[in-house]
Amino acid sequence: MRLSTFSVACFTILQSTYAAESNLTTPLSSHLILPTNFKPPQVFKNANLVRSVNLEKGYVKETVNVVIENIDTKPQDEYYVPFDGSVVGKVGGFEVWDKKDTTKSAFRSELVEYDTYRSIHSGNRKRRMLTLSSPTQFYRVTLPEPLSPSAQLTLSITYHLLSSLSPLPATIKQQDKQYLKLTLSIYAPSAYLTQKQKTKIKFPGVDIPEYTGEPERQGSTFTYGPYDNIPAGSESPASVRYEFTKPIIHATSLERDIEISHWGGNLATEERYQLTNKGASLSNHFSRVTWQSTQYYNPPVTAIKALNVPLKIGSLNPYFIDDIGNVSTSRYRSNLREANLELKPRYPIFGGWSFPFRIGWDANLNNFLRNIKGDQYTLKVPFLEGPKMGEGISYEKITLRVILPEGATNVKYHTSVQVVTESISQHRTFMDTLGRTTLTLTAMNVIDESRDADLFVTYEYPMTAGLRKPITIFLGVMAVFTTAWVVGRVDTSIGKKS
């Protein structure tokens, strides 16, 4: 009777409902559908605009500080920022702040969508026909409070552009300098009349052999303008070509797993990279002799020679594996002030070459997890870690999985990184019954500056869910012994019993 009661209790715990009640943060993609001929209402004007383009790293980073003014007779709270249809897919990290009050959080911004179908009436029937999408896409910025008529507000708009730089020439010799070309519009993208504006371009050096127009030049900074009364949607095509004898490090894919273990008190992290160098390709075959000769005086090169991965202090058991095993060189240094994993590929990664690899490490869970009250927990982890390089790293796609303990429910999250998709699923590992609750987030067009962004995950983990694992192990062991005992009692003899 006691055994039967105990078995029923174990079965109840193992079958307890734990499907994660998804109450996730709404992703930043918009569900607003606009007609293809949409044009923002002319309720604002840009009184003064200063655009800064930074080319010091392997991607383009832009900052637009603009004073907007409501020229309508009613309060307005929707401001639109246009991008060409060929460029909008390269935009990442789009954020808008109050320039004069940085203590406030970023304004809500979203990429609006277009209705690519139009209705056609034929007699009494109505059909939907596919049409070409608009060449211009918009980010819609919602101000926290409607701006009164004739009132002004200073906005700081920041974003970065991936895959916008192209090496020119596209192929170079192993020891040659590398030059990049950027094509842009001198006028900042704007859906409104701009009374006054200028554009500043910051280069990594002073070797700039080709550029459009006659900018004001101060060291490695070019200034175009000021320009007056620029109509909405105006463009002034321009291009610049400058020296950038560094690798352009780009990860086409990063899969990052963070696994939580309450029983072991461990936080295990693994990152899988598809890394490539988008710089100029070699015009001739790679020469190991030439490469070794340059190691004595260390000149600037376009190849990736090593990767530096700073980890959290106290990280344990780091590992590094590439596609054919750990044949590359790695070194881990850890003390009370730093934890640093140094990776050196078995060959220098020149332009057009790829380097897939994975790294991982453990950490004390107590440094990242807090018990709020009762069964409620909060996890604080970096959204992005990985290599930290002076020339910068861009990520085309990041898939982040947070694998919570089996039985975790009511999962919520918050992060400043723009997430395009989110989901809750189950991840089954050794001795799991129904699988571990897994939060999966996907981000696009991310740069290494997101290393400073944290991910907060809250969830509930009842005590009955914590007992699921030991009870499963106990029942598994009992099943093995019971099976062995039953098999041992079977008479396998051929002859008759005497």
Side-chain angles (χ1 to χ4, degrees), residues 332-468:
Y332 180 61
R333 295 182 300 167
S334 177
N335 52 47
L336 297 178
R337 295 177 298 177
E338 65 174 357
N340 193 48
L341 178 62
E342 299 176 356
L343 313 177
K344 188 174 182 180
R346 60 183 180 273
Y347 55 86
I349 306 170
F350 282 91
W353 296 8
S354 299
F355 181 55
F357 67 95
R358 69 177 62 193
I359 56 176
W361 61 91
D362 296 328
N364 189 340
L365 184 60
N366 293 330
N367 297 332
F368 303 90
L369 187 68
R370 292 292 180 269
N371 179 234
I372 303 176
K373 63 176 181 178
D375 299 334
Q376 297 183 356
Y377 294 86
T378 297
L379 177 71
K380 177 185 176 183
V381 292
F383 189 92
L384 174 66
E385 290 184 83
K388 185 176 182 180
M389 308 293 289
E391 54 270 24
I393 302 178
S394 58
Y395 300 85
E396 184 174 336
K397 180 181 179 181
I398 296 179
T399 303
L400 172 60
R401 296 195 309 167
V402 180
I403 305 173
L404 300 173
E406 186 177 25
T409 61
N410 196 24
V411 180
K412 303 177 183 179
Y413 82 93
H414 173 74
T415 180
S416 60
V417 178
Q418 296 180 0
V419 175
V420 295
T421 62
E422 57 187 18
S423 64
I424 288 287
S425 61
Q426 278 69 47
H427 174 74
R428 289 176 174 83
T429 57
F430 181 70
M431 295 301 290
D432 286 339
T433 54
L434 301 178
R436 302 187 182 187
T437 306
T438 302
L439 169 65
T440 303
L441 306 176
T442 303
M444 304 293 292
N445 297 339
V446 182
I447 58 175
D448 52 352
E449 292 184 1
S450 295
R451 290 176 54 91
D452 299 329
D454 289 321
L455 171 65
F456 296 88
V457 180
T458 61
Y459 60 94
E460 296 180 3
Y461 186 58
M463 184 180 65
T464 54
L467 295 175
R468 187 191 307 263

Side-chain angles (χ1 to χ4, degrees), residues 58-357:
Y59 47 80
V60 181
K61 184 176 180 180
E62 297 197 19
T63 301
V64 178
N65 296 322
V66 54
V67 180
I68 65 173
E69 180 179 339
N70 183 2
I71 58 176
D72 198 39
T73 57
K74 299 179 181 179
Q76 301 292 333
D77 63 350
E78 291 186 355
Y79 182 86
Y80 289 87
V81 180
F83 288 96
D84 188 84
S86 62
V87 176
V88 70
K90 305 175 183 179
V91 177
F94 186 91
E95 289 184 334
V96 182
W97 305 77
D98 186 343
K99 176 66 175 178
K100 295 184 178 180
D101 191 356
T102 56
T103 59
K104 295 181 179 180
S105 59
F107 299 165
R108 177 176 175 80
S109 59
E110 51 195 352
L111 180 63
V112 297
E113 301 172 1
Y114 281 91
D115 185 4
T116 55
Y117 289 83
R118 61 186 179 94
S119 299
I120 298 179
H121 295 271
S122 178
N124 296 327
R125 302 182 63 182
K126 183 178 180 180
R127 295 182 300 167
R128 300 276 287 170
M129 178 176 289
L130 180 66
T131 60
L132 296 177
S133 59
S134 171
T136 303
Q137 307 287 330
F138 295 92
Y139 272 90
R140 184 182 65 174
V141 180
T142 303
L143 306 181
E145 297 178 359
L147 194 62
S148 303
S150 301
Q152 292 185 341
L153 178 66
T154 303
L155 302 180
S156 179
I157 305 172
T158 60
Y159 55 90
H160 49 263
L161 301 174
L162 272 61
S163 303
S164 296
L165 303 173
S166 57
L168 187 66
T171 60
I172 59 175
K173 295 182 179 179
Q174 191 167 318
Q175 293 180 293
D176 285 352
K177 291 183 178 182
Q178 176 180 260
Y179 290 88
L180 301 182
K181 180 182 179 181
L182 171 66
T183 301
L184 74 166
S185 173
I186 295 300
Y187 299 152
S190 176
Y192 309 97
L193 170 69
T194 303
Q195 289 185 320
K196 185 178 181 179
Q197 73 161 286
K198 61 182 177 180
T199 297
K200 296 182 178 180
I201 303 179
K202 174 65 175 177
F203 296 94
V206 296
D207 188 358
I208 311 165
E210 298 178 14
Y211 51 89
T212 300
E214 298 181 358
E216 177 186 347
R217 183 168 182 172
Q218 294 181 347
S220 59
T221 302
F222 282 7
T223 301
Y224 288 89
Y227 304 104
D228 298 325
N229 297 323
I230 306 301
S234 297
E235 294 185 356
S236 177
S239 64
V240 292
R241 180 171 171 264
Y242 60 97
E243 181 195 353
F244 190 85
T245 311
K246 299 177 184 179
I248 304 178
I249 309 176
H250 179 75
T252 57
S253 173
L254 166 60
E255 297 177 351
R256 174 171 161 83
D257 292 347
I258 301 175
E259 186 171 350
I260 310 301
S261 174
H262 279 238
W263 277 98
N266 185 62
L267 185 143
T269 303
E270 180 174 280
E271 298 181 338
R272 298 176 292 278
Y273 289 84
Q274 296 292 331
L275 204 69
T276 184
N277 184 353
K278 303 193 74 172
S281 303
L282 293 180
S283 57
N284 299 320
H285 293 293
F286 168 68
S287 171
R288 175 66 68 174
V289 175
T290 303
W291 176 256
Q292 288 299 123
S293 65
T294 61
Q295 301 307 299
Y296 296 100
Y297 56 93
N298 196 27
V301 294
T302 60
I304 304 174
K305 297 191 295 184
L307 296 170
N308 182 45
V309 185
L311 302 179
K312 295 292 184 181
I313 298 176
S315 298
L316 305 170
N317 309 320
Y319 59 89
F320 164 46
I321 305 173
D322 58 22
D323 268 3
I324 61 173
N326 192 3
V327 299
S328 301
T329 303
S330 62
R331 183 176 67 168
Y332 180 61
R333 295 182 300 167
S334 177
N335 52 47
L336 297 178
R337 295 177 298 177
E338 65 174 357
N340 193 48
L341 178 62
E342 299 176 356
L343 313 177
K344 188 174 182 180
R346 60 183 180 273
Y347 55 86
I349 306 170
F350 282 91
W353 296 8
S354 299
F355 181 55
F357 67 95

